[in-house]
Every structure is written in C-alpha cells, then in structure tokens.
Amino acid sequence: MTTTHTDASTGTGADASAATGPSGGRTAAHLPEHTPRISLPELAPEVHRALARADAAARKGLDPVIGELVKIRASQINRCAFCLDMHTKDALAMGESLERIIQLSAWEESKHYYTAKEIAAIELTEAITVLTDGFVPDEVYAKAADHFPAEELAHLIAAITVINAWNRLSVASRNVPGHYVPGKH
C-alpha cells in the first residue's frame, strides 16, 4: 500500500516511499504531517511581531543557555512539538549537548547534568508553566532569587512567560514541527 505524503512547502502529494522527512531520512514508514489550522503570522501579524519583540527583550538580560533550557522545558510541559523542534535545534546549534537536552524532561533524576542556577531556572519554569497546580511557591521563587540578580530574574520570568505564550499559540495553530532551521526565528 502506498501512502501520500504532503509536502508542507508546496502542498503537493508525493509517494511516501520516495519522500524524505524533516530530518532528511526516508519516510516510507512515517505517517504524513498534519495540516496547520491557521497562520498567525499572516492573519495576526501585529500580535506575532509584538510577541517576537517581547521574546527579544526577555532574552537580552538572560544567559542564552538558560534561555534555551527554559524554552525546551516549558515546551515539553506544554507538549508543543513545534517549539521543541525549534529550541532543541537552536540549543544544539549553540553548542548545547544532546545529553543535557535529552535529560531535561527527567531533570529531577538528572540534576548532575545541570548547575544549581540552571536547576533554579528549570524549577521556576515548571512553577510558572503549570499554574493550574497553584501559585509559584515561595521556596521556588526564593531559590531562583538566590541564583539570579533581580534584573536577570525579571528577564527569566519574562522569558518563561513568553515561551508559554508561543507554546499556546503554536499548539492552538497546530504548527508543524520538523522543518525549522536553527537561527531563523
């Protein structure tokens, strides 16, 4: 049985046995990509640009490694495949190790891969991302405040908030992961 793989860039179908997937590998056994629901950059460009500006502003006062770890962890929690694709590729392009990226979803058992400052940022990310569990605990905030000067902490909180907004927009839009090229956002 031959399946059809829709090329996301052209919208044309191709025999899946001859197609290549996002990573360049053969896709004979892969399912076809889903179709995005809506393009926010096209239909709400002012919102997209405003969020991009907020993202850039939050990054200015934050260590780029911590920034990517935060984005990956929030995206894992929010199950945003598009953002996971983007930020793991960006982290790898920055020189982050594959091991640290893989272990991030199980960081509580893998603390030895991270610095105390990174763990404080990851814990704060989880507390801010999963607000349905309650408020950000004082202990989590205090731990982050011990590791981050006030201005950097403010940027960290902003970066966590912005990635959560991106995750929600991406998940609602059903953005397709796998085609992101590092450094292109």
Side-chain angles (χ1 to χ4, degrees), residues 20-38:
T20 58
S23 63
R26 304 218 25 106
T27 62
H30 296 180
L31 296 175
E33 292 179 351
H34 64 267
T35 303
R37 290 180 177 146
I38 192 169

Side-chain angles (χ1 to χ4, degrees), residues 5-46:
H5 171 78
T6 302
D7 183 325
S9 63
T10 65
T12 60
D15 177 347
S17 62
T20 58
S23 63
R26 304 218 25 106
T27 62
H30 296 180
L31 296 175
E33 292 179 351
H34 64 267
T35 303
R37 290 180 177 146
I38 192 169
S39 174
L40 286 168
E42 291 175 21
L43 299 169
E46 300 85 11

Side-chain angles (χ1 to χ4, degrees), residues 105-121:
S105 65
W107 66 268
E108 289 175 302
E109 295 294 322
S110 305
K111 288 182 180 179
H112 59 283
Y113 281 91
Y114 309 100
T115 67
K117 185 175 184 176
E118 290 168 341
I119 291 296

Side-chain angles (χ1 to χ4, degrees), residues 33-151:
E33 292 179 351
H34 64 267
T35 303
R37 290 180 177 146
I38 192 169
S39 174
L40 286 168
E42 291 175 21
L43 299 169
E46 300 85 11
V47 173
H48 190 268
R49 284 192 298 271
L51 196 52
R53 285 191 305 273
D55 188 39
R59 281 192 316 250
K60 282 185 181 177
L62 191 60
D63 176 310
V65 171
I66 289 175
E68 289 304 322
L69 291 175
V70 160
K71 289 175 182 180
I72 293 167
R73 185 64 193 128
S75 299
Q76 288 171 338
I77 295 166
N78 290 322
R79 297 172 36 185
C80 183
F82 182 83
C83 293
L84 279 170
D85 179 54
M86 175 185 289
H87 296 295
T88 56
K89 286 176 179 175
D90 281 346
L92 288 167
M94 288 174 35
E96 183 57 79
S97 76
L98 184 58
E99 278 186 319
R100 282 173 34 105
I101 293 170
I102 291 169
Q103 292 301 318
L104 192 53
S105 65
W107 66 268
E108 289 175 302
E109 295 294 322
S110 305
K111 288 182 180 179
H112 59 283
Y113 281 91
Y114 309 100
T115 67
K117 185 175 184 176
E118 290 168 341
I119 291 296
I122 293 165
E123 288 176 338
L124 186 61
T125 299
E126 289 195 4
I128 292 172
T129 300
V130 190
L131 286 176
T132 55
D133 288 350
F135 295 101
V136 174
D138 289 338
E139 317 79 65
V140 171
Y141 183 86
K143 186 174 181 181
D146 286 344
H147 290 281
F148 291 87
E151 188 174 323

